[in-house]
């Protein structure tokens, strides 16, 4: 049986979502199949674009918002008449018949599938003398395969690692132990880190912005090392990367990548800085998913950031903040954790009362109103009060254009602080100081470097960026429950984390059914 593939009429990697929604189920645009398609470097490039394409789907409101709702950063939010699924994420009361979390699972495996198709066909391409290009494409594809595996593994625990496209006899493969999955992830990331060149794409107008770099791979190795060793109490990354190696990689990213911190934290976020926005191709963005507003209301295209509408103020624009659905209202406990001198406080959250904005929660039908919502990633209006995306001819639901930052240099510094702690405390202290000095715009708010101090700094620096829940997992169930449980406010804000889940989310019921029960539901969700 021939496996049909689609051809993508793309002239540049800048266009990462113009391919059709379903890679497997639609008819091919031509009669080309895998057996005769992968012949030229141009064919390989189109295959690589197909792998990158899946990244844009991650910002539709899947893992990013779900993990923030499940953490101590946010409540469920959204509207009074909206389905209660968001409250179930918030309260760890999932019902499996709703097939919750299916998008994260299916997007991850679609990305893995596309990466494996490309990797299995690289040897069929006539590369001529340009073997370095083949290595580059392999490195990028393996990085992305690792990323998609990690997206699923950090959310569901045991998953099915795939280093090849499966045959019909493998449709009911069981989940594997974590060390199997993470060994594949580690080897893929190591290959990328060791084989990509020293380019830094965070320069204005760089056509390669959004592509994988050596520095992104080194940082991602550190991220997976810290998660795996913390969540599973292991000394190394699945026997592939030692701590000493992880330190070497992250220190290289700190010292040699050419990345740095934007001088003003607020300028990283459009709604916090407006005309002073640093731009998405700034030096701090080590790796981000790139979006644009070119869809102009066409629901068949997938260029825009469909996540942003989820967290924008419900019920209409207010001030310079454009309208949205009011999801994931911010926990006041998070806001209160910031020192008033910390510039990240005002830059990260919309404080309706503090900014003189009269937000009538009842009239706007806002559920779980806390007085705070996301400023990070919030879409904005122009000075006339019209959403910028609509003023540019787009649809406010699907054509928002802000990039999704997966790795910022501030995160690299904090990972370096954590990994160097105990062996080179001076380096750890310097990395922590850099983050805090930027936050306070002085050197008088430095604190001694400890593991607790680093974890708290991660909470403050990286709030609402999809990392907090997974940082809690690696601190253990008692710490996780202490952080997430909430008894403040009326009953709509009551949250009780259930340690019997071990922090893993419920598997989508559809996948359990399709596996003929080869896959079993995660603990605590039966």
């Amino acid at each position: 049986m021939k496996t049909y593939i689609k051809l993508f009429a793309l002239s540049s990697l800048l266009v990462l979502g113009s391919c059709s929604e379903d890679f497997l189920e639609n008819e091919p645009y031509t009669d080309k199949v895998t057996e005769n398609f992968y012949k030229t470097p141009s064919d390989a490039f189109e295959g690589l674009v197909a792998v990158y394409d899946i990244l844009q789907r991650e910002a539709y409101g899947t893992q990013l918002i779900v993990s923030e709702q499940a953490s101590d950063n946010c409540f469920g939010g959204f509207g009074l008449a909206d389905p209660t699924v968001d409250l179930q994420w918030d309260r760890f009361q999932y019902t499996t018949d709703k097939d919750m979390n299916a998008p994260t699972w299916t997007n991850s495996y679609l990305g893995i599938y596309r990466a494996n198709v490309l990797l299995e066909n690289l040897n069929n391409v006539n590369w001529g003398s340009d073997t370095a290009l083949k290595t580059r494409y392999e490195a990028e594809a393996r990085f992305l395969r690792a990323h998609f595996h990690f997206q699923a593994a950090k959310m569901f625990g045991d998953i099915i690692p795939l280093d090849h496209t499966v045959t019909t006899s493998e449709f009911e493969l069981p989940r594997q132990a974590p060390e199997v999955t993470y060994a594949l992830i580690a080897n893929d990331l190591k290959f990328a880190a060791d084989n990509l060149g020293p380019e830094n794409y965070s320069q204005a107008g760089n056509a390669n912005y959004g592509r994988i770099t050596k520095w992104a791979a080194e940082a991602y190795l550190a991220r997976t090392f810290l998660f795996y060793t913390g969540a599973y109490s292991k000394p190394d990354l699945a026997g592939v990367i030692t701590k000493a190696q992880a330190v070497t990689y992250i220190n290289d990213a700190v010292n040699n990548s050419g990345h740095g911190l934007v001088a003003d934290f607020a300028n990283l976020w459009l709604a916090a800085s407006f005309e002073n926005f640093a731009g998405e191709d700034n030096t701090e963005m080590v790796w981000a998913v790139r979006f644009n507003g070119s869809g102009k209301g066409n629901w068949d295209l997938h260029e825009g950031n469909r996540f942003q509408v989820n967290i924008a103020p419900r019920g209409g624009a207010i001030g310079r903040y454009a309208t949205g659905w009011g999801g994931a209202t911010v926990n006041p406990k998070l806001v209160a954790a910031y020192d008033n001198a910390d510039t990240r406080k005002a830059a990260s959250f919309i404080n309706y009362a503090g900014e003189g904005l009269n937000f009538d929660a009842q009239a706007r039908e806002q559920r779980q109103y806390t007085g705070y919502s996301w400023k990070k990633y919030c879409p904005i209006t122009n000075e006339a009060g019209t959403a910028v995306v609509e003023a540019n001819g787009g649809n406010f639901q699907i054509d928002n254009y802000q990039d999704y930052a997966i790795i910022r240099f501030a995160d690299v510094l904090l990972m370096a602080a954590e990994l160097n702690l105990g062996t080179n405390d001076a380096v750890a202290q310097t990395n922590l100081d850099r983050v805090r000095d930027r936050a306070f715009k002085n050197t008088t708010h430095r604190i001694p470097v400890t593991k607790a101090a680093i974890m708290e700094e991660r909470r403050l620096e990286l709030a609402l960026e999809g990392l907090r829940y997974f940082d809690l997992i690696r601190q253990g169930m008692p710490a996780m429950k202490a952080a997430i449980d909430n008894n403040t406010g009326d009953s709509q804000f009551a949250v009780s984390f259930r340690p019997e889940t071990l922090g893993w989310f419920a598997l989508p019921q559809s996948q359990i059914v399709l596996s003929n029960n080869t896959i079993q539901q995660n603990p605590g969700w039966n």
Side-chain angles (χ1 to χ4, degrees), residues 447-504:
I447 57 177
V449 64
T450 64
K451 180 66 175 289
I454 295 169
M455 297 310 295
E456 181 64 9
E457 204 63 31
R458 291 184 61 81
R459 178 191 183 199
L460 302 177
E461 176 70 27
L462 304 169
L464 311 182
E465 297 181 46
L467 299 175
R468 173 62 174 173
Y469 186 83
F470 306 106
D471 278 348
L472 288 173
I473 286 180
R474 60 192 183 91
Q475 295 179 62
M477 293 304 100
M480 198 167 188
K481 183 169 179 59
I484 292 175
D485 279 6
N486 187 75
N487 297 310
T488 303
D490 58 38
S491 59
Q492 68 175 317
F493 297 107
V495 179
S496 179
F497 174 73
R498 295 187 294 111
E500 62 268 27
T501 66
L502 303 179
W504 309 127

Side-chain angles (χ1 to χ4, degrees), residues 198-203 215 252-261 282-284 286 409 434:
E199 296 84 6
N200 179 329
Y201 298 140
S202 62
Q203 296 117 19
W215 317 115
D252 189 37
V254 169
N255 297 323
N256 300 312
S257 67
H259 287 286
L261 296 177
N282 66 71
T283 186
E284 191 159 339
V286 178
F409 190 68
R434 291 179 68 180

Side-chain angles (χ1 to χ4, degrees), residues 94-117:
Y94 305 171
T95 52
T96 55
D97 64 335
K98 295 185 183 298
D99 208 26
M100 296 174 73
N101 307 315
T104 297
W105 182 278
T106 55
N107 287 346
S108 294
Y109 278 99
L110 183 54
I112 292 167
Y113 170 77
R114 291 191 182 184
N116 282 332
V117 168

